[in-house]
Amino acid sequence: MAKALDGRVAVITGGSRGLGRAMGLALAEEGSSLALVARDADKLEETAQACRSKGARVETFLCDVTDESSVERTRAGVIGAFGAAHILINNAGINIRKPIHEFTLDEWMRVTNTNLTSVFLMCRAFVPHMKGHGYGRIINMTSIMSHVSLPGRTAYSSTKTALLGLTRALSQELASDGITVVGISPGPFATEMNTPLMQNPETNAQFISKIPVGRWGRVEEIGALARFICSEDAGFITGTDILIDGGWCAQ
Ligand code: NDP
């Protein structure tokens, strides 16, 4: 039976684990081929196998998305393997939580390069290959921290707010090509990024008390949203983000 994303090729940065893995599994179920991008070969391969079990063609690409030449090698590898790219999910991200006066410049730049500059590098590399199909989707993993914030999040919030600005501007450049640019802004999801918060019973309870629905997000819920954004039905959604936060930002 035909599936909604048959014939599509999706490039997912940070595709080895967490939310990237969940989006890979969801798009594989819809028939998309996948190019999974990250630095840890074992985790990438494990996720690739799980996505292949859904029937998808999956290739993995070892890449540091903060490195211009590494991104260029990935672009050449993906286009060599698949011949095209239709969906780009800029999901790789890190968080360093500490007061501003404790940040080193190196830490600040690591967060900025991973969460923001990487998106510039990936979009610059892949947008030319995404044009001309009459369809395209760029999903940027923004955050509730694109809208609100917390102490210790100066670097993270700065990058995620800027990424929402990039999302808006790029949507204007690509709208006439049929390529939408959409942010997904998650609230707290139970992934490795949040392990330090979840392992501390006090911060875990504090977080849950701030989420009106009373639980951490489930990664499958991000997969389902990405699947919808990639569908034809979502072609009129662009230049904005979608909050998926259990009501966090509505308070
Ligand atoms: P994880 O820490 O679980 O996964 C991060 C992924 O990014 C890994 O696959 C990692 O792979 C990859 N990555 C990190 N740095 C690089 C790099 N330099 N080059 C290539 N790949 C890299 O994070 P989540 O799944 O939780 O988060 C995914 C995205 O969603 C992030 O952008 C995050 O900011 C955002 N988000 C997450 C929230 C949450 O609650 N989990 C809330 C709001 C936003 P590897 O280390 O192998 O390279």
Side-chain angles (χ1 to χ4, degrees), residues 168-195:
R168 291 186 183 121
L170 189 58
S171 73
Q172 304 302 295
E173 290 184 25
L174 300 181
S176 61
D177 292 295
I179 302 171
T180 65
V181 189
V182 181
I184 290 182
S185 289
F189 278 71
T191 65
E192 273 182 44
M193 179 173 275
N194 288 322
T195 306

Side-chain angles (χ1 to χ4, degrees), residues 58-91:
V58 185
E59 304 288 340
T60 61
F61 296 87
L62 280 179
C63 171
D64 178 348
V65 291
T66 68
D67 182 85
E68 189 173 17
S69 56
S70 187
V71 168
E72 171 50 28
R73 275 196 301 280
T74 300
R75 183 203 65 76
V78 170
I79 300 307
F82 293 102
H86 310 95
I87 296 165
L88 170 61
I89 304 188
N90 292 306
N91 165 77

Side-chain angles (χ1 to χ4, degrees), residues 39-56:
R39 296 165 302 178
D40 182 320
D42 292 342
K43 286 206 171 135
L44 264 181
E45 194 45 42
E46 196 273 317
T47 296
Q49 285 300 350
C51 294
R52 285 181 193 120
S53 74
K54 308 268 179 200

Side-chain angles (χ1 to χ4, degrees), residues 4-247:
L5 297 178
D6 278 345
R8 304 297 190 200
V9 176
V11 182
I12 307 179
T13 70
S16 56
R17 61 173 201 254
L19 304 184
R21 175 189 162 98
M23 290 187 281
L25 287 166
L27 299 195
E29 271 173 7
E30 288 301 319
S32 180
S33 297
L34 301 178
L36 299 180
V37 176
R39 296 165 302 178
D40 182 320
D42 292 342
K43 286 206 171 135
L44 264 181
E45 194 45 42
E46 196 273 317
T47 296
Q49 285 300 350
C51 294
R52 285 181 193 120
S53 74
K54 308 268 179 200
R57 178 180 171 200
V58 185
E59 304 288 340
T60 61
F61 296 87
L62 280 179
C63 171
D64 178 348
V65 291
T66 68
D67 182 85
E68 189 173 17
S69 56
S70 187
V71 168
E72 171 50 28
R73 275 196 301 280
T74 300
R75 183 203 65 76
V78 170
I79 300 307
F82 293 102
H86 310 95
I87 296 165
L88 170 61
I89 304 188
N90 292 306
N91 165 77
I94 58 168
N95 195 355
I96 299 177
R97 304 172 181 90
K98 53 168 66 174
I100 197 161
H101 59 276
E102 290 179 12
F103 263 92
T104 64
L105 180 58
D106 176 65
E107 289 168 334
W108 179 274
M109 293 313 299
R110 267 169 47 212
V111 177
T112 304
N113 288 339
T114 309
N115 295 0
L116 182 62
T117 306
S118 71
V119 180
F120 155 66
L121 291 173
M122 289 296 293
C123 289
R124 190 180 63 171
F126 281 95
V127 159
H129 300 284
M130 296 177 70
K131 290 185 172 189
H133 305 294
Y135 164 96
R137 298 285 184 266
I138 296 176
I139 296 178
N140 293 326
M141 292 309 283
T142 43
S143 171
I144 53 172
M145 298 292 150
S146 306
H147 297 269
V148 295
S149 202
L150 286 171
R153 307 306 199 283
T154 50
Y156 188 78
S157 258
S158 301
T159 60
K160 293 299 183 180
T161 305
L163 187 53
L164 186 51
L166 184 154
T167 301
R168 291 186 183 121
L170 189 58
S171 73
Q172 304 302 295
E173 290 184 25
L174 300 181
S176 61
D177 292 295
I179 302 171
T180 65
V181 189
V182 181
I184 290 182
S185 289
F189 278 71
T191 65
E192 273 182 44
M193 179 173 275
N194 288 322
T195 306
L197 301 175
M198 288 183 294
Q199 278 174 344
N200 177 331
E202 202 179 314
T203 54
N204 189 46
Q206 254 174 26
F207 258 78
I208 291 180
S209 74
K210 283 188 186 160
I211 307 168
V213 302
R215 64 168 173 83
W216 289 80
R218 300 185 187 109
V219 296
E220 298 76 19
E221 293 167 325
I222 295 286
L225 180 54
R227 189 163 48 207
F228 172 65
I229 292 170
C230 292
S231 72
E232 294 292 342
D233 286 340
F236 205 56
I237 303 173
T238 194
T240 188
D241 67 326
I242 298 174
L243 282 159
I244 172 165
D245 68 351

